[in-house]
Amino acid sequence: MGSVKGRRGASSLVLLCALATVATSALAGTAHAAPAAPATPAAPGAPAAPLPEPGGRSLEQVRKDIEELYRQAGAATDAYNLAEAETKAQSDKIVEIANLIVAGKERIATLKNRAGAAARAQYRSGGLPPGAQLALSDDPNQFLDGADRLRQGEKATSDLISELDRTQTDLQRYADEAGERWKTLEENRVKQEAAKKQVEEKIKAAEELESKLEAEEKARLIQLEQEAQYRAQTAWLSSGAMKDVNGKATDAGKRAVQFATAQIGKPYKWGAVGPDSFDCSGLTSQAWRAAGRGIPRTSQEQLRLLPKIAVKDMRPGDLIIYFDDASHVGMYVGDGAMVHAPRPGRDVTMAGAGSMPIKAVVRPDA
C-alpha cells in the first residue's frame, strides 16, 4: 500500500503542475499541451491483485454503467432546468399581463368619465339642432365659432368611444392570454416535476451502484475514469484536432475563464448555479454572466441559440458541448483543456477538451 500511496502522490503532483500550467496559459490562448498521464499502474514484477467484480461484472463495466447513468441524469437535468426557466418566464408574463389588465381597467374608467362629461355638456346646451341655435343666436359669428368647437367636440367624443372600444378589446385579449399562460404554466410545472423525478432516479441508481464498491474499488474506479479520459484526450490530440487552434481570448472571454477556474474544487450539484456548487451549464452560464453577457441556462439551449464555430477556430471562453444529446458542457480555457462540473460526487475541475465526445463548440461573445 505504501508504494501505491507514493505513486498517487507523484501522480497528483504531476496533475497539479499540469493544471497550473494550463491555468497560466489559458488566458494567453495557447493550445498545444499534451494531456497529463493518469496514475502509473503497478510496476512490472509486482502486479496488483485483481479487484473483485461487483455483481459478476468487471469494474470497468461498472464504471461505464455509472458514467451512463450520470450522463442520462445530465440530460434530465437540462430538461428540468429548461422547464424551470420556462415556468419562471410564464410567471413573469402572467404578472405583466395582470399589470396590463389593471392599467386597461383604469383607462376604461378614465374614458367613461370623459364620455360622461361630454354628454353632460351636450345636455346643458339643450341638445338643439344647429339650425335652431343659429336662428336663436344674437351673434351669428359667435354661433359659427361655437359650431366649429361643437364639431371638434363631436369628433373628440367619437374618437373617445373608439378608443374605449379598443381598450375593452385589448382587455379581453389580455384576459384570454392570461388564461393560456396559466395553462402553459401548469404544463411546465408537470414537466418540471417529471424531469426532476427522472434526475433523482438516475442519480440514486448511480449512487447505489457506486456505494456497493469497497474503498479500494472506489479508488480504482477514479483511476479508471482518469485512464478513460486520458485515452480519449490522447486520441483526440493525435487526430490533429488542435493543430490549427491558436485563438486568443477576448476581454470578456478572459473574465469568463477567470470566473470558471476560480470555482475549481466546488462540488457538482444538479440544478445549482453557485455560489457554493454548480451543475455543468450552471457553471458556464454564471461564468459568462460574470463576464457581463447573459447566455441560455442549459447546455441544450446553449447549443441551440449560441453561434457554432469550428474546433480549429476555438478560443478560451468558448463552450464545448458534449455527447449527441448535448447533455454536458465545459468551457475551453486554452492549451487543449477545459473546465467543467463533471457529475454528482465530483468537483469542478479541469480536464482534456477531448476527453468526452464533442458535439459542437459555441461562442457566447461572437
Side-chain angles (χ1 to χ4, degrees):
M1 293 299 292
S3 62
V4 172
K5 289 181 179 178
R7 288 195 300 276
R8 286 177 185 157
S11 176
S12 298
L13 181 60
V14 170
L15 183 58
L16 287 172
C17 291
L19 291 183
T21 301
V22 168
T24 302
S25 60
L27 301 183
T30 57
H32 306 290
T40 308
L51 295 172
E53 299 183 354
R57 292 176 298 167
S58 69
L59 196 58
E60 173 63 12
Q61 185 57 52
V62 172
R63 179 194 70 80
K64 290 180 178 179
D65 291 346
I66 291 173
E67 185 178 278
E68 177 61 19
L69 283 168
Y70 279 128
R71 192 193 65 74
Q72 291 175 11
T77 297
D78 252 15
Y80 169 81
N81 289 335
L82 181 58
E84 187 177 46
E86 288 175 343
T87 298
K88 184 181 183 305
Q90 294 296 335
S91 297
D92 292 344
K93 187 63 178 177
I94 286 171
V95 171
E96 180 184 334
I97 292 172
N99 290 333
L100 289 172
I101 289 174
V102 170
K105 288 181 176 178
E106 291 176 349
R107 181 62 177 161
I108 286 174
T110 300
L111 292 172
K112 285 183 175 179
N113 287 336
R114 286 172 53 191
R120 288 190 296 273
Q122 186 177 17
Y123 175 78
R124 284 193 298 271
S125 72
L128 295 174
Q133 292 183 41
L134 177 60
L136 296 173
S137 174
D138 295 330
D139 187 345
N141 289 330
Q142 184 179 3
F143 164 76
L144 293 174
D145 183 56
D148 183 59
R149 288 199 302 272
L150 180 61
R151 283 193 297 272
Q152 292 176 3
E154 289 174 344
K155 183 178 185 305
T157 300
S158 174
D159 292 345
L160 186 149
I161 293 172
S162 297
E163 185 177 352
L164 181 60
D165 289 341
R166 286 195 302 271
T167 303
Q168 288 176 322
T169 300
D170 289 343
L171 197 59
Q172 184 59 51
R173 186 177 74 252
Y174 296 151
D176 292 342
E177 286 181 7
E180 289 300 315
R181 293 287 178 176
W182 276 114
K183 181 180 177 181
T184 305
L185 187 65
E186 176 61 15
E187 291 173 352
N188 282 342
R189 186 190 64 79
V190 172
K191 184 168 65 173
Q192 185 177 344
E193 286 184 354
K196 181 178 180 180
K197 183 178 180 181
Q198 187 180 14
V199 174
E200 291 172 340
E201 288 175 349
K202 297 295 183 183
I203 292 177
K204 182 180 178 181
E207 288 176 343
E208 287 180 351
L209 193 57
E210 198 165 0
S211 70
K212 295 176 182 178
L213 301 176
E214 300 293 336
E216 190 175 356
E217 290 175 318
K218 289 180 180 179
R220 174 61 177 154
L221 182 66
I222 293 175
Q223 185 179 357
L224 287 175
E225 289 177 0
Q226 293 173 346
E227 289 173 353
Q229 293 170 5
Y230 174 77
R231 288 193 299 271
Q233 176 75 349
T234 300
W236 185 65
L237 291 176
S238 298
S239 72
M242 294 295 297
K243 181 168 61 73
D244 299 320
V245 178
N246 56 11
K248 305 295 182 182
T250 61
D251 288 341
K254 290 178 182 178
R255 292 194 297 273
V257 169
Q258 287 169 345
F259 179 94
T261 53
Q263 313 313 310
I264 289 175
K266 293 183 178 180
Y268 178 105
K269 181 179 179 182
W270 74 269
V273 292
D276 300 322
S277 57
F278 297 86
D279 64 18
C280 65
S281 57
L283 177 65
T284 55
S285 61
Q286 289 304 302
W288 272 102
R289 182 179 297 275
R293 191 174 294 262
I295 65 171
R297 166 66 178 87
T298 71
S299 57
Q300 292 168 351
E301 289 295 279
Q302 289 168 2
L303 172 66
R304 187 173 72 87
L305 298 175
L306 297 179
K308 297 177 183 63
I309 61 167
V311 169
K312 67 180 180 64
D313 297 323
M314 194 163 54
R315 69 190 184 200
D318 288 342
L319 305 184
I320 306 175
I321 309 295
Y322 294 99
F323 303 110
D324 287 340
D325 58 1
S327 57
H328 192 70
V329 60
M331 178 179 291
Y332 183 63
V333 296
D335 203 27
M338 59 90 173
V339 60
H340 70 144
R343 66 167 177 84
R346 299 290 183 263
D347 298 333
V348 175
T349 187
M350 280 194 189
S355 58
M356 292 175 285
I358 295 175
K359 181 175 180 64
V361 179
V362 297
R363 177 161 292 167
D365 61 340

